[in-house]
Amino acid sequence: MSTENLPQSPDQPSRKPRVAVVCGGRSSEHGISVVTAGAVLRAIDRSKYEVLPIGITRDGRWALTADDPERMAITDRRTPSVEELAESGEGGVVLPVDPANREVVYAEPGSVPKALGEVDVVFPVLHGPYGEDGTLQGLLELSGVPYVGSGVLSSAVGQDKEYMKRVFTSFGLRVGPYVVIRPREWTRDQAAARKRIVDFAGEHGWPLFVKPARAGSSIGITKVDDLSGLDEAVEEARRHDPKVLVEAAVRGREIECGVLEFEDGPRASVPAEIPATGSHAYYDFEAKYIDSTPGVVPAPLTEEETAEVQRLAVEAFEAVSCEGLVRADFFLTEEGEFVINEINTMPGFTPISMYPQMWQASGISYPELVDLLIQAALRRSTGLR
């Protein structure tokens, strides 16, 4: 019988908290999630925490993965996968749905299951559906395991750009014009759905941005300059999500701001600016992660503008009842007003990503940022709070 989790005597130090870093997943952002996990694994203080790397394959299998950050990097413009890192092609990790038992088990066909020990906190670095959208958070709530980041509702709202904008509007935050094409609208009557978009363009002008309503990392987004590219853009968005969001272009500078939860509440980082992207039509996946288009940190704003975007970022965090961390994205219009585009409850989190860079410029290094997020998760209980 293992004595690892039995009460410790006064002479015996308690074990270090065990952190399960969960990455991969079933969304189109699988690869960048693995890249993020590599950065987090590299940054976690091993003298302070035990680490258990877990990957979710593209078909949804939970796998025990190698604790090898060097293999979790973008190589030759290609992102890594959990399938490449899994210790077995058949074995699976099981998290018990029992708040009284946090012990993770690993099982392979024909073998006796192996106990991997209790998990004290999960650090999910999944992006997109089936991870960032409240689904994983619901599983962890049922299991009674604390986790980094927002809860079920705020994760779901933060993933669905339509309802995110509806919440922002209800709290008085200004959003840009948009129209939503729901799955049944496009499949039942494409002509009517297309007319809605064309009428929207007639009111707000071209170009339009056509995107999956529940995806991130700028995947599946198309900038459409006229009617000729519309159908193809909708189908591209629908490859990632049957629900499509169409946004009017907002003329202005792209400004981002990070929010981090401290013991006394959320605080905002210095903001950053995403400059014109050169050969890229907009700040897409290639610009973010492959070509690493640099942001300007801190953003060249006045003191008043900086204070205002920081205030609005925290307000957006609170409006959606977020926890842990958020990156809030804004446009600063020519009239000097901030328009919120979206929040990301699990933003890009590689060291070159804007969220860690903004906190680095605010005086918090990447390893310190990882530690603060774990500590915030350990302070929270699961359940209603």
Side-chain angles (χ1 to χ4, degrees):
M1 176 180 174
S2 170
T3 60
E4 182 181 28
N5 297 314
L6 293 178
Q8 305 293 321
S9 68
D11 314 320
Q12 207 175 15
S14 60
R15 66 168 176 82
K16 294 178 286 189
R18 183 174 287 115
V19 181
V21 178
V22 181
C23 70
R26 295 162 56 191
S27 83
S28 51
E29 298 174 76
H30 177 104
I32 201 61
S33 170
V34 178
V35 175
T36 299
V40 171
L41 289 171
R42 191 179 290 110
I44 287 181
D45 185 349
R46 303 303 177 103
S47 69
K48 192 171 181 178
Y49 304 106
E50 293 182 16
V51 178
L52 178 64
I54 297 173
I56 301 176
T57 64
R58 287 186 172 89
D59 62 4
R61 178 174 63 92
W62 288 48
L64 193 61
T65 62
D67 187 0
D68 189 352
E70 301 308 315
R71 292 170 58 198
M72 298 178 167
I74 295 173
T75 306
D76 298 327
R77 304 178 70 86
R78 178 180 168 275
T79 56
S81 70
V82 168
E83 287 80 358
E84 297 166 344
L85 297 160
E87 295 194 352
S88 164
E90 296 183 318
V93 173
V94 179
L95 187 69
V97 186
D98 179 1
N101 176 20
R102 293 181 181 175
E103 189 161 73
V104 174
V105 174
Y106 178 74
E108 291 190 18
S111 300
V112 176
K114 175 185 176 183
L116 300 178
E118 290 192 351
V119 168
D120 298 289
V121 63
V122 169
F123 199 132
V125 291
L126 296 114
H127 303 297
Y130 312 110
E132 187 185 349
D133 60 349
T135 50
L136 176 65
Q137 290 74 15
L139 173 63
L140 296 173
E141 291 287 349
L142 290 172
S143 301
V145 181
Y147 51 92
V148 169
S150 291
V152 175
L153 177 64
S154 48
S155 295
V157 171
Q159 186 66 37
D160 190 313
K161 294 177 176 64
E162 175 195 0
Y163 288 100
M164 178 199 307
K165 291 174 185 293
R166 289 180 181 273
V167 170
F168 288 157
T169 300
S170 73
F171 276 82
L173 293 163
R174 183 184 171 192
V175 303
Y178 68 96
V179 64
V180 176
I181 303 300
R182 301 181 186 281
R184 286 191 292 273
E185 290 182 76
W186 190 254
T187 55
R188 287 179 178 174
D189 192 342
Q190 285 190 22
R194 188 182 301 110
K195 184 178 185 302
R196 285 187 63 212
I197 301 174
V198 172
D199 290 346
F200 177 78
E203 182 180 357
H204 298 287
W206 302 90
L208 302 177
F209 287 88
V210 180
K211 58 181 66 175
R214 295 164 292 192
S217 295
S218 298
I219 290 174
I221 300 178
T222 306
K223 181 184 178 183
V224 181
D225 293 311
D226 53 45
L227 184 59
S228 64
L230 183 59
D231 282 10
E232 184 179 350
V234 172
E235 291 299 344
E236 170 60 18
R238 282 172 53 79
R239 285 201 314 113
H240 303 277
D241 184 353
K243 180 178 176 182
V244 176
L245 184 78
V246 181
E247 294 177 329
V250 178
R251 317 288 179 185
R253 298 161 61 188
E254 291 189 51
I255 307 294
E256 298 184 348
C257 190
V259 180
L260 180 64
E261 179 185 358
F262 292 83
E263 287 193 64
D264 60 351
R267 299 181 211 165
S269 69
V270 299
E273 180 168 5
I274 307 302
T277 51
S279 61
H280 298 272
Y282 57 94
Y283 194 45
D284 61 5
F285 181 87
E286 296 271 327
K288 286 181 181 179
Y289 296 111
I290 305 299
D291 296 329
S292 301
T293 301
V296 180
V297 188
L301 300 171
T302 66
E303 288 186 14
E304 293 77 12
E305 289 169 338
T306 296
E308 177 66 0
V309 76
Q310 289 174 325
R311 181 188 71 81
L312 291 170
V314 171
E315 193 171 321
F317 183 97
E318 297 282 32
V320 187
S321 298
C322 293
E323 295 167 295
L325 71 165
V326 149
R327 192 194 71 233
D329 301 345
F330 297 85
F331 295 106
L332 177 56
T333 68
E334 295 174 353
E335 296 73 34
E337 185 173 9
F338 284 101
V339 175
I340 188 163
N341 184 36
E342 64 181 51
I343 59 168
N344 200 311
T345 57
M346 183 49 69
F349 204 77
T350 68
I352 65 167
S353 298
M354 294 311 303
Y355 185 86
Q357 285 192 53
M358 288 186 286
W359 281 109
Q360 176 76 44
S362 303
I364 297 177
S365 69
Y366 190 89
E368 291 172 325
L369 186 57
V370 169
D371 185 66
L372 284 168
L373 288 168
I374 293 171
Q375 289 299 317
L378 287 169
R379 285 196 301 270
R380 291 195 302 267
S381 63
T382 54
L384 298 177
R385 53 188 183 274

